[in-house]
Every structure is written in structure tokens, then in C-alpha cells.
Amino acid sequence: QSALTQPASVSGSPGQSITISCTGTSSDVGGYNYVSWYQQHPGKAPKLMIYEVTNRPSGVSNRFSGSKSGNTASLTISGLQAEDEGDYYCSSYTSTGILGGVFGGGTKVTVL
Amino acid sequence: EVHLLESGGGLVQPGGSLRLSCAASGFTFSSYAMSWVRQAPGKGPEWVSTVSGSGGTTDYADSVKGRFTISRDNSKNTLYLQMNSLRDEDTAAYYCAKSITLYGYSYGSISYFDYWGQGTLVTVSS
């Protein structure tokens, strides 16, 4: 059972926007602005998409954006494209002493 | 371009040992903390261990403490994970990851992992 809670799946049609939620507690998501998001295609390494809640690494499309409200962080993908299909994981710093932070269980994004 | 390449995974019996390696290139290896993160089939990632840029400081998840040892050779730009007393529940893909700490130091709580290797699969089974 993962420390952060994500919906198992989210789907959308090309061009639409979708949002993936990531719910934690005040010890992680709610208490600090150190939430990150990773994209993973089957058999591939995770790729950093968002760090520190809202920041996009160089080279990541501006169709990806992050936000946070209370204990829930969100990843929004706008203008959904076929290449966005895959698994998405959130992660957060935690004050509970786990140096590497905690992760969510993942959300499978399907482009219809 | 940052590149991380893991090796050393395989099938091992419960109680056995394996040593994973991760060859790094494209960045100043000794300036960054490095971590191992694993992912069991169908599950989310799980942080396993982190070593400081100098190699002098380490930390482990409770699930592997006392059984796994992380180390690095900065002269070879290589990260290692020695895994002993392996259990069924250690079965996972193991990724090495370049680690960015909260305050940008070469060790400390991790803010995010900015680059990951392609992973090496460890299967513990009799």
C-alpha cells in the first residue's frame, strides 16, 4: 500500500485536458512544496515531469502543469496526445524520516 | 547528456546475494547524491537507499537496512548496491537515480530524482 493515493486510471480523448490527483497528509504533500511527478512508459525508466509542485524541467512540454491544494497535489495534462499514454507517479518529501520520500501507487493514463 | 546504466540483476534464491552496478556519465558524478529506487511488478516506486556525493554518508529504507549496502567509486563514476539475505519481497526492477536534495547539497533529504537509469530486474525465487 503506497503512502500517497492516486486514482488507478484516468482517460481522455486527444486534445482534451485531464488531471491526476495525489493525496497525502500534512507530513508530506500538505506540509511542503516538494512534490514531483514522473512519467513511465512500459519497460522504460521513469522520467521527471514536474518538480517542487509546479516546476517543469527543461525539455518537458508546457502541456504538463502541477499544482497543490491542501494535502492533494495535481498533475494536469492539457491538449492530450497519444504519446502521453503511460503510467504517472507522484512523489513527495516526507517529515517522517524517509530520506528518499514517498511515492504514489501510480495512475494509468489512457488516450482514447 | 546524462546517462545511467544499471547491470547485475538476475534470478537468485532466497537468502542469496547480488551486486548491482550503475555506470554514470554526462555530469560531475561526485557532486551529486545518488540513490537506488525499486519498483515491484505492478507497484509504485519505493526508495531503497541514498549515498552522498563523497560516499561518506548513507541511508536506507527500513525494509533493507542491515541487508543492503550502497557505495560508490567516484574514480569510476559508478554506483553500487550490495544486496544480501535476499527475500521474495525484494523482487523488483532496481533503478539508479541522480538525486537532487532539498537544499542542493550533495547529501540530504531528497527533493526529486532528475534522471533514472533503465533499470535491472532482480527476481528472488526458489
Side-chain angles (χ1 to χ4, degrees):
Chain A
Q1 185 172 345
S2 300
L4 305 180
T5 301
Q6 299 180 235
S9 63
V10 173
S11 62
S13 299
Q16 286 186 331
S17 293
I18 62 170
T19 298
I20 304 168
S21 61
C22 170
T23 301
T25 69
S26 58
S27 296
D28 39 65
V29 174
Y32 309 91
N33 290 324
Y34 294 114
V35 176
S36 52
W37 289 89
Y38 303 89
Q39 175 194 64
Q40 187 176 33
H41 292 129
K44 300 295 186 181
K47 175 186 176 184
L48 178 68
M49 305 301 285
I50 295 287
Y51 65 97
E52 293 170 1
V53 180
T54 61
N55 297 313
R56 255 188 331 271
S58 174
V60 171
S61 171
N62 59 9
R63 297 185 297 104
F64 292 83
S65 62
S67 62
K68 190 185 83 168
S69 178
N71 292 339
T72 299
S74 299
L75 174 70
T76 297
I77 309 174
S78 57
L80 198 62
Q81 299 180 2
E83 66 205 49
D84 300 332
E85 192 163 283
D87 296 320
Y88 290 79
Y89 299 93
C90 62
S91 180
S92 174
Y93 163 81
T94 174
S95 60
T96 61
I98 303 172
L99 190 80
V102 289
F103 287 88
T107 298
K108 181 172 180 57
V109 169
T110 301
V111 181
L112 302 172
Chain B
E1 181 185 1
V2 172
H3 194 56
L4 301 170
L5 183 62
E6 304 93 337
S7 61
L11 175 63
V12 61
Q13 292 186 338
S17 297
L18 276 178
R19 189 195 198 202
L20 307 183
S21 299
C22 171
S25 61
F27 63 103
T28 305
F29 185 66
S30 61
S31 294
Y32 293 91
M34 293 294 295
S35 303
W36 289 98
V37 179
R38 69 184 180 184
Q39 187 174 23
K43 304 292 185 181
E46 176 193 17
W47 170 75
V48 172
S49 181
T50 296
V51 61
S52 63
S54 67
T57 308
T58 60
D59 198 10
Y60 301 90
D62 287 345
S63 57
V64 306
K65 200 170 292 185
R67 300 187 298 123
F68 290 11
T69 302
I70 191 172
S71 62
R72 64 194 295 163
D73 185 336
N74 287 343
S75 69
K76 296 181 178 179
N77 285 0
T78 302
L79 175 71
Y80 303 101
L81 185 68
Q82 177 67 44
M83 304 186 296
N84 298 331
S85 303
L86 283 161
R87 306 168 179 169
D88 290 352
E89 55 265 34
D90 295 320
T91 293
Y94 283 73
Y95 298 94
C96 68
K98 179 172 170 281
S99 308
I100 305 301
T101 61
L102 265 58
Y103 305 111
Y105 299 136
S106 63
Y107 186 74
S109 294
I110 305 300
S111 176
Y112 56 95
F113 305 99
D114 59 348
Y115 292 95
W116 302 56
Q118 91 293 344
T120 187
L121 183 61
V122 172
T123 302
V124 184
S125 175
S126 53

